[in-house]
Amino acid sequence: FTARFSVLERVDQLRDDDKNHDVRQLRYSMMRCRSSTPFYWMRTMYPCVVRPVLEEVVEPALKKSFVLLAEAGHSPQELIDQAWAEAQQDGRFGGCGLGGTAST
């Protein structure tokens, strides 16, 4: 499970250069793609197997990528947590649909 989310660490290190001008969009797309993977796991595996992975690997990895993408690393933790809570909401409710699977 951890290997599936280790790619986010490499993607988080990407930056714009002369040939690639919209790396932030690529990072966001990759984060959304990884965010949907746990839904498959939740449908095909027992909760006792999936929940610890969601809580210990998936949610922290997605939150870290979100904070780096939003460049919010120097913000107060309270604001980061609030932004993360909003990002987890469905797009219909103003969120990004990221993470939030551990509480499902």
Side-chain angles (χ1 to χ4, degrees):
F1 295 117
T2 305
R4 299 246 184 221
F5 281 84
S6 65
V7 71
L8 282 179
E9 292 178 13
R10 291 187 299 245
V11 171
D12 288 339
Q13 296 172 3
L14 297 175
R15 298 291 180 259
D16 287 346
D17 58 20
D18 294 338
K19 296 181 182 179
N20 303 304
H21 301 286
D22 200 10
V23 173
R24 290 175 65 100
Q25 180 64 34
L26 172 68
R27 289 169 55 197
Y28 177 69
S29 297
M30 189 58 148
M31 189 170 43
R32 285 188 49 97
C33 178
R34 283 292 123 203
S35 182
S36 64
T37 303
F39 290 108
Y40 172 75
W41 294 344
M42 291 184 331
R43 287 192 310 263
T44 58
M45 296 181 211
Y46 291 109
C48 62
V49 174
V50 177
R51 182 172 295 273
V53 175
L54 295 176
E55 292 173 349
E56 297 169 16
V57 177
V58 175
E59 295 291 330
L62 289 173
K63 184 175 181 180
K64 178 183 173 190
S65 291
F66 172 75
V67 169
L68 290 172
L69 184 64
E71 297 179 359
H74 299 291
S75 297
Q77 189 62 40
E78 179 181 304
L79 291 178
I80 291 173
D81 292 340
Q82 180 182 357
W84 176 241
E86 291 174 9
Q88 292 180 57
Q89 294 180 6
D90 193 347
R92 297 174 293 174
F93 304 111
C96 300
L98 299 173
T101 53
S103 61
T104 304

